[in-house]
Amino acid sequence: MDFKKLISHCKEYGFIFQSSEIYDGLAAVYDYGPLGTELKNNIKQYWWKSMTQMHQNIVGIDAAIFMHPKTWKASGHVDAFNDPLIDNKDSKKRYRADQLIEAYAEKIEAKIKKDVDKAAKRFGDSFDEQQFRTTNQRIIDRQVKIDYAINTMNDFLAKEDMVGLKNLIEELEIACPESGSRNWTDVRQFNLMFSTQLGNIAGEESKLYLRPETAQGIFVNFLNVQKSSRQKIPFGIAQIGKAFRNEIVARQFIFRMREFEQMEMQFFVRPGEELKYYDYWKSTRMDWHKSLGTPSDHLRFHDHENLAHYANAAVDIEYQYPFGFRELEGIHSRTDFDLSKHEELSKKKLQYFDPELNENYVPYVVETSIGADRMFLAQISEALQEETVPDAKGNDSTRVVMKFNPAIAPVKAAVLPLLKNHEGLVNAATDLFDTMKTRFQCQYDEKDAIGRRYRRQDAIGTPYSITVDHQTLEDNTVTIRERDSLNQERIHKEEVPDMVGAATNINKLL
Ligand code: GAP
């Protein structure tokens, strides 16, 4: 589905609104509407249960957003959590230098794709894309340009060479998308943390940061949790919570936000065993995504080219968003970097006594870190479809439908009396609604013709619509319509709650 249509669908049906819209919005900040909140809660619940309920050795916490300022010194965020920024002197617009270079590469890639699509049309079934890409001289030349731009950029980023980045932008003749000019400032580093002041004390000492990741709340509580929950290594701590980053270029809807939510899990292991658990979490997390029905070809691993100095392995799970493959989740083997740094700055021991080895050590950590909002966007992108279906008279008609996995659908069932002015039908429908509302989210809807009500439920992804009609009053049966197949079946009304409950239960995914 076209990305603009997806965004307007999210607004029209109450999934996502721009923050402070009446004041023309606040860039890269979004509010979740009634259905968006339900969907996001279901995603978070599925993650939480998969991590904590399904693993005896993973427990959850909910740490505060504010932390002691030294936390961020220890974690490296004060000194190194920067983006390389560049301003265009004519438009006065600010950009991330790396994103300007990536956009340059994407433009060339779009040209390649155009050529590939044209050739595919021309050659039909006999077309071999791989062969075409490796033998067509124009495509080869373009690929060389892309590789040069990206590889050189990665080198400069790794060396934190800001002069090199500026020179590369000039060499590639990249112009400001707004003014079209190449009148650039130097590239400089810009810290992404938001800060505020504690109480009435002025100065650096009282500078507080809004956490840019939830992970540090887990690291500083490592021993508290281990001792209070009597966990033995290997064990994990999971957390869901808000994180804040002063993203400079905020694009692509809820993909890159300034206030967002992370679902993170830090898994503490014996030094030397981290890569075994890294592999375990890599495949476990990929399976988790697929268990929701996301097709394999919409997901892929992407190994980090430049490992952070504290990591000895790192991979992203990327999802094919409407704007291309992008990072959805990160799995990082972070060695003992964070705990050791916290030991150093706090001067408190953060070590574990391993009874089997009879020794103390600082555990190594494998983390899985996923943005709840990016997961939400992936699920919306996957679910939202426009398709042709037969209408009541058997003619073709288009419907907009959200094919969520029923376990995460915001509304599980809709109860629809055939007529709204018929007391018997309304009472029977209300009774059925009342027997279900304590078990899962349902909607009661009596407005408009039944066909339009079905379409409304399709558009918000409700897996089951239950119609109460005149026959219900005679034999207590109702029609239950399934969203994807459009199958309609008559069943006894007393069977409905158990049937819908079983088919939409989140535990089915576990
Ligand atoms: N503790 C590790 C960490 O924070 P990260 O790769 O910076 O790693 C982890 O972030 C995940 O958080 C990303 O994979 C992404 O899903 C999400 N995320 C990061 N920045 C985001 C942003 N500005 N808006 C929405 N989600 C974001």
Side-chain angles (χ1 to χ4, degrees):
M1 165 91 59
D2 173 70
F3 195 41
K4 278 198 184 128
K5 276 194 191 165
L6 180 150
I7 296 172
S8 60
H9 189 88
C10 281
K11 181 177 175 191
E12 184 181 347
Y13 288 93
F15 284 89
I16 294 181
F17 309 123
Q18 174 78 60
S19 158
S20 327
E21 197 191 68
I22 58 167
Y23 294 105
D24 295 332
L26 182 63
V29 185
Y30 291 89
D31 298 336
Y32 283 79
L35 293 178
T37 306
E38 292 296 334
L39 175 61
K40 195 180 185 201
N41 282 342
N42 291 343
I43 289 173
K44 290 195 285 187
Q45 199 194 7
Y46 176 41
W47 183 88
W48 188 258
K49 281 177 175 245
S50 307
M51 284 296 175
T52 61
Q53 200 168 306
M54 299 305 287
H55 292 93
Q56 284 281 322
N57 61 348
I58 300 183
V59 288
I61 65 164
D62 183 11
I65 286 170
F66 287 137
M67 299 183 71
H68 193 285
K70 279 189 184 165
T71 309
W72 306 110
K73 189 74 189 157
S75 67
H77 284 84
V78 170
D79 298 318
F81 194 51
N82 300 318
D83 271 350
L85 291 194
I86 188 165
D87 290 13
N88 183 271
K89 291 183 194 162
D90 298 318
S91 67
K92 309 271 184 274
K93 283 262 166 195
R94 180 164 290 177
Y95 299 93
R96 257 175 66 179
D98 55 332
Q99 287 184 348
L100 279 179
I101 298 165
E102 276 166 7
Y104 161 90
E106 276 166 19
K107 258 192 204 156
I108 303 178
E109 178 57 42
K111 285 183 188 161
I112 294 181
K113 190 167 178 303
K114 224 175 170 181
D115 281 353
V116 169
D117 289 348
K118 251 197 219 161
K121 238 185 192 164
R122 188 152 26 99
F123 294 113
D125 286 346
S126 63
F127 181 62
D128 179 341
E129 180 173 336
Q130 185 60 18
Q131 193 193 8
F132 184 69
R133 278 180 180 263
T134 47
T135 52
N136 180 291
Q137 195 54 45
R138 198 156 68 165
I139 291 190
I140 294 170
D141 293 345
R142 284 180 170 152
Q143 192 59 50
V144 168
K145 279 188 180 171
I146 294 179
D147 294 344
Y148 172 74
I150 298 295
N151 294 338
T152 317
M153 174 187 83
N154 283 335
D155 273 357
F156 289 141
L157 285 173
K159 289 188 279 187
E160 296 194 23
D161 181 349
M162 299 300 118
V163 176
L165 277 179
K166 161 94 185 270
N167 291 343
L168 182 62
I169 286 173
E170 284 179 340
E171 182 193 334
L172 299 175
E173 301 186 342
I174 295 175
C176 166
E178 191 98 351
S179 65
S181 96
R182 290 194 234 132
N183 193 6
W184 296 110
T185 62
D186 289 340
V187 179
R188 68 212 176 285
Q189 297 279 30
F190 175 89
N191 194 286
L192 294 183
M193 282 195 294
F194 285 103
S195 64
T196 184
Q197 213 64 35
L198 181 67
N200 53 3
I201 320 157
E204 274 301 302
E205 279 293 284
S206 61
K207 195 168 179 181
L208 282 192
Y209 294 101
L210 296 187
R211 66 180 176 197
E213 63 170 10
T214 55
Q216 299 304 325
I218 289 178
F219 288 125
V220 300
N221 276 302
F222 155 68
L223 272 189
N224 281 338
V225 175
Q226 186 266 319
K227 287 185 174 148
S228 58
S229 58
R230 294 180 296 114
Q231 289 289 345
K232 287 203 178 87
I233 270 178
F235 78 95
I237 305 178
Q239 177 171 212
I240 299 179
K242 289 266 177 151
F244 304 83
R245 294 182 189 178
N246 198 358
E247 300 282 1
I248 296 314
V249 183
R251 294 182 294 172
Q252 293 155 336
F253 196 34
I254 58 168
F255 181 79
R256 197 175 298 287
M257 300 157 92
R258 296 201 165 108
E259 174 180 341
F260 58 100
E261 217 166 351
Q262 287 188 317
M263 308 192 281
E264 295 200 296
M265 194 279 299
Q266 267 64 38
F267 202 68
F268 299 88
V269 304
R270 270 185 197 160
E273 294 195 347
E274 68 276 11
L275 293 181
K276 178 176 87 183
Y277 290 106
Y278 172 76
D279 287 340
Y280 168 81
W281 283 110
K282 227 178 116 172
S283 64
T284 303
R285 294 304 302 149
M286 185 56 106
D287 290 347
W288 185 85
H289 288 282
K290 290 183 188 164
S291 69
L292 280 166
T294 307
S296 302
D297 61 346
H298 289 185
L299 292 161
R300 71 180 185 196
F301 286 118
H302 178 253
D303 285 311
H304 284 206
E305 275 112 31
N306 302 311
L307 282 183
H309 59 283
Y310 51 80
N312 61 6
V315 69
D316 292 337
I317 294 179
E318 293 188 337
Y319 171 74
Q320 190 172 30
Y321 289 99
F323 39 85
F325 271 101
R326 294 286 188 289
E327 176 185 346
L328 164 61
E329 169 158 11
I331 296 138
H332 313 125
S333 174
R334 294 179 70 126
T335 66
D336 60 352
F337 173 81
D338 301 86
L339 289 179
S340 298
K341 282 282 173 192
H342 286 306
E343 268 202 331
E344 206 179 301
L345 256 83
S346 67
K347 304 197 170 45
K348 305 266 166 33
K349 282 232 170 303
L350 286 175
Q351 300 196 356
Y352 169 79
F353 176 73
D354 192 322
E356 282 171 37
L357 299 181
N358 199 26
E359 68 179 60
N360 282 304
Y361 54 78
V362 178
Y364 271 42
V365 171
V366 175
E367 83 172 348
T368 71
S369 175
I370 172 169
D373 313 271
R374 284 197 191 172
M375 185 60 195
F376 182 101
L377 183 57
Q379 288 304 305
I380 292 261
S381 309
E382 204 54 59
L384 185 58
Q385 297 172 24
E386 224 171 49
E387 61 180 19
T388 307
V389 289
D391 65 13
K393 292 181 189 139
N395 299 321
D396 278 356
S397 71
T398 22
R399 73 161 176 168
V400 173
V401 56
M402 296 192 98
K403 294 189 173 176
F404 293 120
N405 186 310
I408 60 161
V411 178
K412 307 299 187 199
V415 182
L416 318 169
L418 189 63
L419 303 170
K420 72 170 174 185
N421 296 324
H422 189 294
E423 202 185 332
L425 294 179
V426 167
N427 287 344
T430 314
D431 284 350
L432 180 58
F433 176 79
D434 286 343
T435 60
M436 297 203 290
K437 71 181 181 192
T438 53
R439 298 182 53 174
F440 39 76
Q441 282 291 338
C442 346
Q443 279 191 358
Y444 173 87
D445 188 5
E446 57 178 26
K447 195 168 173 289
D448 297 323
I450 199 76
R452 287 188 67 178
R453 281 183 269 168
Y454 283 153
R455 290 298 151 86
R456 262 204 302 271
Q457 295 302 329
D458 287 345
I460 63 169
T462 307
Y464 296 100
S465 294
I466 298 126
T467 305
V468 172
D469 59 16
H470 297 289
Q471 196 179 326
T472 312
L473 304 182
E474 286 164 22
D475 64 6
N476 283 323
T477 62
V478 292
T479 306
I480 183 157
R481 171 188 181 268
E482 201 271 326
R483 178 195 68 199
D484 298 349
S485 63
L486 298 170
N487 280 343
Q488 298 199 17
E489 206 189 327
R490 276 208 92 84
I491 62 173
H492 197 280
K493 68 178 186 188
E494 282 176 6
E495 290 172 35
V496 174
D498 278 350
M499 192 249 129
V500 175
T504 62
N505 195 325
I506 214 153
N507 294 338
K508 255 182 67 166
L509 296 174
L510 297 172

